[in-house]
Amino acid sequence: MTASTTRRTTAARSRIAAVGAIAVAGALLLTGCGDQTKSKDSGGKDGASKSTAPLADKLPQAIRDKGVIKVGSDIAYAPVEFKDDSGKVVGIDPDLAEAMGKQLGVKFEFQNATFDTLIGGLASKRYDIAMSAMTDTKDRQEGIDGDTGKKVGAGVDFVDYFTAGVSLYTNKGDTKGIKTWDDLCGKTMAVQRNTFSHDLAKDQAKKCTDAGKKTLKVEEFDTNPEAETRMRSKGADVVSADFPIAAYSVKNSGGGKYFEIVGEQVEAGPYGIAVAKGNDELRDALQAAVQALIDNGEYKKIIEKWGVEDGAITEAKINGGS
């Protein structure tokens, strides 16, 4: 299926999903976002000692002194980051953060927040970084609101660490004839607010209207689980999310009985670790850590653990998104 729109352009871009199949078993504990509380799980038990961490000297001295990198994250987005049945923060991002911590000699401390507040949290220095399946885009790099074309902030830099695409999914056995984005005219979509899927949905609604067809009604929610609940209650026909999230929900929700993916994923692009503009030393240290994991094979092990090998990268680029 071809994309209904060009790659995400709004300033509050969302996460784009993995191109690999999800091979994760076990039930997903869906948790709400936005409490801004620190997770007891820090992405690494104690971090690596500075004496054994090969890249510790690349970090800013202030972070080395604290021994902690504060991570803003929407921890309700399995399998990228979520809480397991014990309340521990797990997923692709926490595993990568733990491995990076060993390279840098610090702990990565995940703090829960709604996705649309993460970049603001960087600007206010609530977090040192945002790591939350966030798509690296030019608009985000430049602090541009793609809907208005106006500059709304200083922008952020990204260290890219994964590649992903977007999927549509419906209640199982009730696809409403949806196979492509062009089939969405006259339907109702539930979607997480300020995500790439939200942007695609708004663009598709306009496309339907411009073509003289019934419009796509878009209902927005703070979290993807809320969007799924809306669809489960028959209030919406379809949900759009990053492919790994969609695939995880299809596999695990209701023991695999609730949802099904329709059509093919679209709009593949890079996930990036977001760092506030001007924080070049931290940005470069993170890039070195990700590249070290790629080079030493730890990255491959983590990606394979979560069954998303097709989204793997070979080079940790800075601001590689378009």
Side-chain angles (χ1 to χ4, degrees):
M1 175 173 74
T2 57
S4 64
T5 181
T6 55
R7 189 110 188 72
R8 170 178 199 136
T9 56
T10 67
R13 289 314 182 255
S14 104
R15 345 161 176 220
I16 291 195
V19 183
I22 303 304
V24 184
L28 166 63
L29 177 64
L30 298 177
T31 59
C33 296
D35 58 11
Q36 304 285 349
T37 56
K38 295 181 180 180
S39 165
K40 293 181 179 179
D41 181 82
S42 63
K45 291 183 179 179
D46 297 311
S49 69
K50 294 177 183 178
S51 62
T52 61
L55 300 177
D57 61 352
K58 290 186 174 294
L59 283 170
Q61 188 62 51
I63 287 181
R64 294 176 66 187
D65 291 343
K66 290 188 300 182
V68 172
I69 291 177
K70 294 181 293 182
V71 185
S73 189
D74 176 5
I75 309 174
Y77 215 63
V80 184
E81 52 264 319
F82 64 106
K83 292 182 181 180
D84 65 13
D85 290 333
S86 71
K88 180 182 179 181
V89 178
V90 297
I92 299 167
D93 284 357
D95 280 358
L96 287 172
E98 179 176 356
M100 291 168 65
K102 293 176 181 177
Q103 292 290 320
L104 296 167
V106 294
K107 293 191 299 181
F108 281 67
E109 186 178 81
F110 279 75
Q111 301 184 16
N112 196 21
T114 52
F115 185 75
D116 58 359
T117 65
L118 295 180
I119 287 185
L122 291 177
S124 66
K125 299 185 179 180
R126 179 185 293 273
Y127 319 116
D128 298 308
I129 66 173
M131 192 172 186
S132 194
M134 184 178 289
T135 305
D136 173 3
T137 67
K138 290 294 184 185
D139 280 350
R140 227 187 214 135
Q141 294 166 22
E142 297 170 3
I144 301 297
D145 183 336
D147 287 339
T148 65
K150 295 181 179 179
K151 191 169 180 63
V152 293
V156 296
D157 286 329
F158 287 99
V159 176
D160 297 341
Y161 66 98
F162 195 69
T163 301
V166 176
S167 289
L168 299 171
Y169 57 115
T170 67
N171 288 319
K172 196 163 189 177
D174 189 19
T175 66
K176 307 292 186 182
I178 298 170
K179 295 181 180 179
T180 74
W181 282 77
D182 287 335
D183 296 326
L184 296 175
C185 300
K187 305 295 193 300
T188 299
M189 174 184 284
V191 68
Q192 184 175 0
R193 183 179 294 109
N194 288 332
T195 62
F196 185 26
S197 293
H198 190 191
D199 295 334
L200 290 177
K202 289 186 289 185
D203 288 344
Q204 183 61 39
K206 184 176 185 301
K207 183 178 179 181
C208 291
T209 300
D210 290 347
K213 300 178 181 179
K214 292 182 178 179
T215 191
L216 165 63
K217 181 181 179 182
V218 181
E219 296 187 354
E220 55 194 69
F221 297 87
D222 285 339
T223 69
N224 198 67
E226 290 175 323
E228 292 180 347
T229 297
R230 179 63 169 166
M231 183 169 68
R232 278 280 295 153
S233 68
K234 308 294 185 180
D237 302 310
V238 63
V239 168
S240 175
D242 297 351
F243 176 73
I245 286 75
Y248 189 94
S249 289
V250 166
K251 181 178 179 64
N252 293 291
S253 297
K257 297 179 180 179
Y258 287 173
F259 307 128
E260 65 178 281
I261 288 177
V262 292
E264 300 176 0
Q265 56 184 309
V266 300
E267 297 288 348
Y271 282 177
I273 302 169
V275 183
K277 287 288 189 185
N279 206 347
D280 296 358
E281 193 174 3
L282 175 57
R283 179 200 65 195
D284 293 348
L286 295 170
Q287 182 195 31
V290 174
Q291 190 63 52
L293 298 183
I294 293 171
D295 294 342
N296 69 19
E298 283 298 309
Y299 176 86
K300 183 174 184 288
K301 291 178 182 178
I302 293 168
I303 296 303
E304 288 179 344
K305 170 185 174 180
W306 293 100
V308 292
E309 297 92 329
D310 287 348
I313 62 169
T314 59
E315 181 184 359
K317 296 180 179 179
I318 292 176
N319 295 333
S322 59

